[in-house]
């Protein structure tokens, strides 16, 4: 059935990269394009380049036309009006009507969606979540975000951001989070937080193979764990503890069939997944713990583009709000 | 529309009390009955008395017949099969097919539901949640439980218990919870936990007006707060801190329009509600915090009976699973 859905154009607005592709009803990306965001150029120029990138994707995909445009971007944003609020990854972009502009540019209806929420729908429909009804998706990346599918439908929440799964408290009074609260999951498990904690530990003069790296990233930390570095192991254990604690909470309150972990930090694979899965199986309430599987995402770097395509398909079937072009 | 729903019988199986009533389409209870559970008699005798209580409710309500039976009980239980697992409040009740037995006893279809989940549906349809689409309900009572309504539908979760909102972590490594984990909301905010912490504080010899009470309850603690007792205030502040922390997490991840607080401990009213609402407004992510209101429940002691009635109505309209009597 999904295979009969028409091709749609997907656009993804990241803090460092813009991406575009045509997504067909089977969830495949055609004519995939990527270019630097150069957000300092401001919304007018960046969006002009984004729409050009979209046109190039349509041309390269060999599709004469697309039926809708789906756009994924970090929030806050308003899915009903298609207006981007003032997302922290795009400083100075204030109340930009991305949805309406895209609808005008391509002459088809458009839907704007929170990137993590779009990714959750992508994994649900075409990735690790296929065949489930209730699924959580967490992206562990520069920040920690996520989305939920409940009873087969994307949950947007009354505030329209679909749930901030990265802002579950794991340590009251702990590290300051980007949201202003102290001790959220994001303040421990994001790639940014892993790198920060490594820097802080090295600054105390403790010996570690990471000292030779200069400014270690989360990836450097995971590599050092694998080569037996003690300091890296401590940072990693705290990371998986934070994820295990927060996901136990989420499993208790949502009782999902599946929790999908995606985002750059999960490229560490079993090193991240295994301790988290063990903690949830041990700590969650027994019926919820027996039911929920914890797995890695399947869609990789294209997840937001595939997800925005799924959002555009939902727009065509009336499941999601959007903007239509003027006649 | 709801008003056209036929009368249904509601049964509630508590650890100390059984209740029954006929619930009409407007959410009113008729022929309300209550009797002690005497759980030590075992399931066969207790259920016989419960069904007699149901027949008395039907007779007293002046309803010639009911179209379905809804039963609320503490879990774990299986809503699909109507089988009660081994609920902690009914020791020795193992795999009792309550749904099938009720369907046979009354000759109509039956639905068994987790009591907190049923209460969430009751408040959603007839209480504080009327007119909302996405609502959380927490009962702060002997334990802390709850349920969620998402997009206008009761969320049961893949494990069928509808979400354990009392088992959000608020203090890692903190007080041991009934679920076996340390530091859950329930371990700080339940009536049982409030009373325990009062006893522990008194045992250290600290002066307090509660020392004269003997074995103070949560209600004694809230009264002592109102009369200016310092020790009671400390316990109360920790209680509202725990609720504020956990509800901030829940508001972040669900983005509800409304959070409804019910259960015995909420009889303390503004003393409980106000500091919790302030904490959530301050600490939740801004879009979610702006959207979510925190209010007290409206249905009082009858909430589970009204909720089980709403579950029975959902059974009749095919929205919920149930057991049918043999022909």
């Amino acid at each position: 059935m999904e295979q009969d859905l028409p091709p749609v154009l997907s656009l993804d607005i990241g803090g460092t990269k813009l991406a575009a592709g045509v997504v067909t009803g089977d969830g495949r990306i055609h004519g995939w394009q990527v270019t630097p965001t150069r957000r300092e150029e401001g919304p007018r120029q960046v969006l002009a380049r984004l729409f050009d990138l979209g046109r190039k994707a349509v041309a390269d995909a060999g599709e004469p036309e697309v039926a809708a445009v789906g756009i994924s971007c970090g929030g806050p944003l308003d899915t009903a009006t298609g207006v981007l609020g003032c997302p922290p990854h795009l400083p100075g972009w204030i109340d930009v009507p991305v949805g309406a502009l895209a609808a005008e540019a391509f002459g088809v209806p458009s839907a704007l969606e929170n990137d993590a929420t779009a990714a959750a729908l992508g994994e649900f429909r075409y990735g690790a979540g296929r065949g489930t009804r209730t699924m959580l998706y967490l992206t562990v990346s520069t920040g920690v975000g996520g989305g939920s599918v409940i009873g087969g439908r994307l949950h947007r929440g009354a505030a329209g951001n679909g749930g901030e799964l990265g802002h579950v408290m794991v340590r009251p009074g702990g590290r300051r989070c980007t949201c202003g609260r102290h001790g959220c999951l994001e303040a421990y498990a994001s790639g940014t937080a892993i790198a920060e904690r490594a820097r802080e530990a090295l600054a105390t003069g403790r010996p570690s193979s990471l000292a030779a790296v200069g400014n270690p990233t989360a990836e450097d930390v995971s590599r050092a764990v694998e080569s037996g570095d003690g300091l890296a192991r401590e940072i990693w254990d705290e990371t998986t503890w934070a994820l295990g604690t927060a996901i136990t909470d989420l499993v208790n309150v949502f009782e999902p069939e599946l929790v999908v972990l995606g985002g750059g930090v999960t490229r560490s694979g079993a090193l991240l997944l295994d301790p988290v899965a063990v903690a949830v199986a041990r700590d969650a309430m027994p019926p919820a713990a027996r039911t929920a599987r914890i797995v890695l995402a399947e869609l990789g770097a294209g997840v937001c583009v595939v997800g925005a395509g799924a959002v555009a398909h939902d727009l065509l079937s009336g499941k999601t709000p959007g903007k239509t072009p003027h006649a």
Side-chain angles (χ1 to χ4, degrees), chain A residues 218-244:
Chain A
E219 197 176 347
D220 295 323
V221 175
S222 74
R223 283 215 197 97
V225 174
E226 283 174 327
S227 60
D229 187 84
L231 184 144
R233 167 57 71 182
E234 269 179 39
I235 291 165
W236 199 255
D237 285 351
E238 190 178 47
T239 305
T240 57
W241 164 83
L243 279 164

Side-chain angles (χ1 to χ4, degrees), chain A residues 244-258:
Chain A
T245 298
I247 294 174
T248 295
D249 282 356
L250 294 171
V251 163
N252 282 342
V253 304
F254 281 98
E255 295 190 352
E257 287 164 80
L258 191 70

Side-chain angles (χ1 to χ4, degrees), chain A residues 96-307:
Chain A
V96 180
V98 174
L101 293 170
E104 289 306 320
F106 294 95
V108 292
S110 76
L112 175 68
E113 187 56 82
N114 183 289
D115 53 1
T117 312
L121 188 65
E123 283 290 338
F124 171 71
R125 196 161 290 161
Y126 301 113
R130 283 191 313 276
T132 66
R133 298 278 301 162
T134 299
M135 182 204 96
L136 302 180
Y137 171 78
L138 277 91
T139 171
V140 189
S141 180
T142 312
V144 178
S148 52
V149 174
I150 294 175
R153 292 181 75 106
L154 194 57
H155 169 61
R156 286 206 169 70
N161 284 288
E164 290 283 1
L165 305 190
H167 299 278
V168 171
M169 165 83 73
V170 295
R171 182 163 287 162
R175 295 179 71 85
R176 188 172 175 84
C177 185
T178 54
C179 75
R181 204 178 175 206
H182 286 259
C184 293
L185 171 61
E186 176 165 298
Y188 289 89
S190 71
T192 315
I194 295 169
E196 271 178 14
R197 280 150 52 226
R199 271 201 302 280
E200 290 168 13
L202 290 172
T204 66
R206 288 182 54 193
S208 163
S209 62
L210 288 169
V213 180
N215 220 348
T217 63
E219 197 176 347
D220 295 323
V221 175
S222 74
R223 283 215 197 97
V225 174
E226 283 174 327
S227 60
D229 187 84
L231 184 144
R233 167 57 71 182
E234 269 179 39
I235 291 165
W236 199 255
D237 285 351
E238 190 178 47
T239 305
T240 57
W241 164 83
L243 279 164
T245 298
I247 294 174
T248 295
D249 282 356
L250 294 171
V251 163
N252 282 342
V253 304
F254 281 98
E255 295 190 352
E257 287 164 80
L258 191 70
V259 180
V260 179
L261 303 182
V265 175
T266 63
R267 283 199 291 267
S268 54
L271 192 68
L272 188 92
L273 180 67
D274 288 354
V276 172
V278 165
V280 176
R282 180 190 64 218
D283 294 338
M285 301 285 283
R290 273 195 302 272
T291 306
R293 287 178 300 125
I294 322 283
V295 300
L296 294 174
E298 291 182 3
L299 297 182
V303 65
C304 288
V305 168
V306 175

